[in-house]
Amino acid sequence: MDLALWIAAGLLAAVALAGGVSKAFVPLETLAAAPGGEWTEDAGAGFVRSLGVLELLAAVGLILPAVVGVAPVLVPVTAVCWVLLMVGAMITHIRHDGLKLVVLNLVYLALAAFIAWGRFGPASFTA
């Protein structure tokens, strides 16, 4: 169980890192032209950059607290926050006809829910 949770957290952290870097540092025009990035045309630059920073923080929060042993409860808390972020992402993609991306967001949501369940429950760092 512990290994599966670490793998899930690693995968989700990689996704968060990639998404965070693109939203925080790639020009909005480039994001809007990319497949699935059409939603950025309707969003303000500050909003998109803020999402990028949140995703970068999620990448750190899914791994670093457990690795260094400082406040490891932040791992499942971050996973719960990621679930909420994915709900918002799915709503946004539904509004912009991105049904393929909704399915992908659902997969990320499921991974985050698994991490939250596992780290709050049977494989918590305090057990």
Side-chain angles (χ1 to χ4, degrees), residues 28-117:
L28 288 182
E29 299 80 25
T30 306
L31 283 176
E38 299 84 8
W39 66 271
T40 59
E41 293 174 350
D42 299 336
F47 179 71
V48 175
R49 300 289 179 237
S50 296
L51 284 177
V53 170
L54 287 174
E55 290 183 17
L56 291 172
L57 290 172
V60 172
L62 286 166
I63 302 294
L64 193 61
V67 169
V68 298
V70 176
V73 72
L74 289 177
V75 173
V77 169
T78 301
V80 169
C81 292
W82 187 266
V83 167
L84 298 173
L85 186 66
M86 288 301 100
V87 169
M90 288 188 290
I91 291 168
T92 300
H93 288 303
I94 288 169
R95 289 182 178 169
H96 289 87
D97 294 325
L99 291 181
K100 289 181 185 176
L101 294 172
V102 171
V103 172
L104 189 59
N105 292 140
L106 192 58
V107 170
Y108 298 153
L109 184 149
L111 271 175
F114 172 65
I115 295 165
W117 168 79

